[in-house]
Amino acid sequence: MKKVLLSTSAIAMVGAYAGAAGAAEWNVRVSGYMEQFLAYADSDVDNISGEEFGGVDSKQDAEIRFLPSITLDNGIKIGADVQLEANTTGDTIDESFMFIDGAFGRVQLGSENSAGYTMTIAAPDVTFLNVNSGSTTAFIPYSGTAGNANSGTVSVGDDVFRRTLGSTFIENLGNNDAQRFTYFTPRFAGVQVGFSYARDPLQDSNAQIDTNGIVDNFVDFGANYVNSFGGIDIAVSGRYGIAFNPDGDNPQIYSAGANVGFSGVTIGGSFAEQNNGGTDDGQSYDAGISYETGPWGVSFTYFKGENVDDENPTNPFGNDEELAQYLVGVNYKLAKGVSLGAFGAYVDFEEDNGDAAGNVGSSGGDDVDGFIIGTGIKISF
């Protein structure tokens, strides 16, 4: 966008701290990451035949971040964060927002996840494959559709991204990187609180849409506590979000997470829930343990997600889909920002009702299960 209009209150806040900036200079940093995976995966999808999902394959994920900033003479830092997806067919620019840092905390304006999302604490995991908001969908076809022109195509998992089937890092109704205002307090005695507001769920859009008759006014609160006592590290988070529905109940989300670490061992987990969100409704949780010593790290993480199946949400017997994932991994830091990993994962997706079977029951869904064994390298700069 060519122009960014700060709210009157934000301008007034910065003006109250304003000082001469003639000597200040811009600092422009470039950071990012690239993950490369090489793995053998094999899976089975019910209600299609002749599928060949097994084999050795290479996958990747990468992002470049542009971070210009300037620090005024009074210490206030103003900058931006623009994140370029390095391999994508859709969302070329991921988050893009302006930030203002000072003794008053941090203000963010633009396309970014909510305060509660960014403050969430989840189970420890030393891998970069991950099973909580992870990348197993690249190897096991449990999201979207599965099949081919010869065997036919079936609909499998819905609502994986930013929703309870695939993550405890959820957003209300799955709104992702909406244009929003966010404020974080300074951290005091280990405690930090955040607040976000978005008029509508649109991402990367300056359109002034008509919100009459649609869910709008997305409000999100988050908080976490991070501290150490006698060699014991503690991290706890909680969040609540609500949006306003003129035609029914207001959709709400909740989540909580905690980690406890001692002598290189970390144990923890998280929980999230969506209510009054129609086919987005569900629950998710993860739990895990990790051990790190020197450049080495090893972890085991379990994730379980459930939500309403989009294929037949009005079924009187209930119509859910569930995802269970298990991941064990080892990671070795070759150098600063360079990690080499190995992992093994098992994925089990089940749904009550499939588009091919057309009935409710344990055998009625287009279930998917499979495993992944592989290695990967990640660079972060």
Side-chain angles (χ1 to χ4, degrees):
M1 71 192 274
K2 295 183 179 179
K3 295 182 179 179
V4 177
L5 299 179
L6 297 179
S7 67
T8 302
S9 58
I11 293 174
M13 177 186 65
V14 176
Y17 287 87
E25 295 184 0
W26 280 93
N27 175 37
V28 181
R29 296 191 301 112
V30 177
S31 68
Y33 70 90
M34 173 172 279
E35 302 169 345
Q36 291 286 349
F37 301 97
L38 182 64
Y40 177 83
D42 195 15
S43 56
D44 178 71
V45 181
D46 286 357
N47 298 314
I48 63 174
S49 60
E51 73 273 22
E52 296 182 2
F53 292 112
V56 176
D57 204 354
S58 175
K59 309 288 185 180
Q60 71 178 43
D61 185 27
E63 185 174 89
I64 305 294
R65 298 175 65 184
F66 302 93
L67 300 160
S69 65
I70 188 168
T71 302
L72 308 184
D73 293 347
N74 55 24
I76 293 177
K77 184 177 181 180
I78 302 174
D81 189 335
V82 179
Q83 303 176 17
L84 172 67
E85 296 283 2
N87 54 292
T88 180
T89 58
D91 189 15
T92 303
I93 297 295
D94 192 7
E95 289 97 346
S96 59
F97 59 92
M98 179 181 288
F99 61 84
I100 305 169
D101 289 337
F104 48 79
R106 164 173 276 220
V107 173
Q108 291 180 178
L109 296 163
S111 173
E112 170 63 309
N113 289 113
S114 65
Y117 174 97
T118 59
M119 303 181 82
T120 294
I121 305 294
D125 183 354
V126 303
T127 77
F128 41 92
L129 179 71
N130 309 125
V131 288
N132 186 345
S133 195
S135 301
T136 57
T137 55
F139 294 96
I140 307 296
Y142 63 84
S143 176
T145 60
N148 52 53
N150 295 324
S151 64
T153 300
V154 296
S155 297
V156 285
D158 302 299
D159 305 326
V160 175
F161 184 69
R162 300 286 186 263
R163 295 172 173 90
T164 57
L165 186 64
S167 182
T168 62
F169 293 88
I170 65 173
E171 293 283 22
N172 205 347
L173 301 182
N175 84 89
N176 181 55
D177 298 339
Q179 301 293 120
R180 70 178 91 238
F181 164 84
T182 298
Y183 169 68
F184 298 99
T185 68
R187 190 172 293 278
F188 178 73
V191 177
Q192 186 177 40
V193 177
F195 163 79
S196 290
Y197 170 78
R199 176 181 179 269
D200 57 67
L202 296 186
Q203 177 181 355
D204 299 332
S205 173
N206 286 330
Q208 187 72 1
I209 67 169
D210 181 1
T211 59
N212 183 33
I214 71 170
V215 177
D216 62 359
N217 293 314
F218 289 78
V219 178
D220 196 89
F221 298 91
N224 62 31
Y225 172 76
V226 180
N227 219 330
S228 297
F229 302 93
I232 299 177
D233 300 320
I234 297 175
V236 181
S237 70
R239 58 97 61 101
Y240 169 74
I242 186 170
F244 295 90
N245 182 2
D247 300 324
D249 295 331
N250 296 328
Q252 301 177 62
I253 57 172
Y254 310 83
S255 77
N259 279 185
V260 177
F262 178 75
S263 297
V265 177
T266 302
I267 300 173
S270 60
F271 170 81
E273 181 172 344
Q274 168 90 60
N275 292 321
N276 302 329
T279 56
D280 285 342
D281 282 1
Q283 305 83 35
S284 57
Y285 66 88
D286 72 346
I289 182 171
S290 69
Y291 174 68
E292 297 184 71
T293 177
W296 289 95
V298 61
S299 64
F300 172 76
T301 310
Y302 170 74
F303 173 84
K304 179 66 177 291
E306 177 182 358
N307 70 357
V308 176
D309 192 344
D310 288 13
E311 293 179 56
N312 191 6
T314 60
N315 190 295
F317 300 103
N319 194 41
D320 294 332
E321 51 188 14
E322 298 181 1
L323 176 68
Q325 300 189 80
Y326 307 80
L327 174 65
V328 60
V330 60
N331 188 67
Y332 181 77
K333 296 178 181 178
L334 296 170
K336 182 180 179 180
V338 183
S339 296
L340 179 66
F343 51 83
Y346 175 72
V347 177
D348 183 24
F349 167 78
E350 297 180 356
E351 60 178 359
D352 292 335
N353 190 64
D355 47 357
N359 65 300
V360 175
S362 59
S363 63
D366 301 316
D367 300 344
V368 182
D369 68 284
F371 67 90
I372 313 165
I373 299 175
T375 185
I377 187 168
K378 179 175 182 177
I379 58 173
S380 304
F381 55 91

